Amino acid sequence: AASRKKLRQSNVADAMMMEYLGWGKAAEMIRKAVAQAIAMQKATSDLVPAPAALSTSQYGQLLVELINS
């Protein structure tokens, strides 16, 4: 559970870092991908019911795919 919490916090921290660096578009892309994943009920078990939960690596890969789509 701790690694999932760290991943979710990392997503927020990643977006904040992008904003700090002046990369607002990148920050928005991260936030949008996280929101899309949660809306699709595709996230780690701390965000969606356990049967639908992804591993942290699967969740990270999904975010990459959503950002690139």
Side-chain angles (χ1 to χ4, degrees), residues 23-56:
W23 298 350
K25 185 174 179 178
E28 184 57 32
M29 290 168 73
I30 293 168
R31 284 193 190 93
K32 183 179 175 184
V34 170
Q36 287 177 312
I38 292 170
M40 295 165 56
Q41 297 244 345
K42 292 190 176 187
T44 53
S45 62
D46 57 333
L47 298 175
V48 298
L54 302 176
S55 69
T56 54

Side-chain angles (χ1 to χ4, degrees), residues 2-68:
S3 63
R4 286 181 285 249
K5 186 175 181 181
K6 287 180 183 177
L7 178 65
R8 187 179 70 208
Q9 290 172 345
S10 174
N11 298 144
V12 173
D14 293 341
M16 291 172 65
M17 178 59 78
M18 295 298 110
E19 284 181 346
Y20 177 78
L21 294 172
W23 298 350
K25 185 174 179 178
E28 184 57 32
M29 290 168 73
I30 293 168
R31 284 193 190 93
K32 183 179 175 184
V34 170
Q36 287 177 312
I38 292 170
M40 295 165 56
Q41 297 244 345
K42 292 190 176 187
T44 53
S45 62
D46 57 333
L47 298 175
V48 298
L54 302 176
S55 69
T56 54
S57 60
Q58 290 171 322
Y59 180 62
Q61 183 60 42
L62 175 64
L63 294 181
V64 169
E65 290 171 9
L66 291 170
I67 288 170
N68 288 327

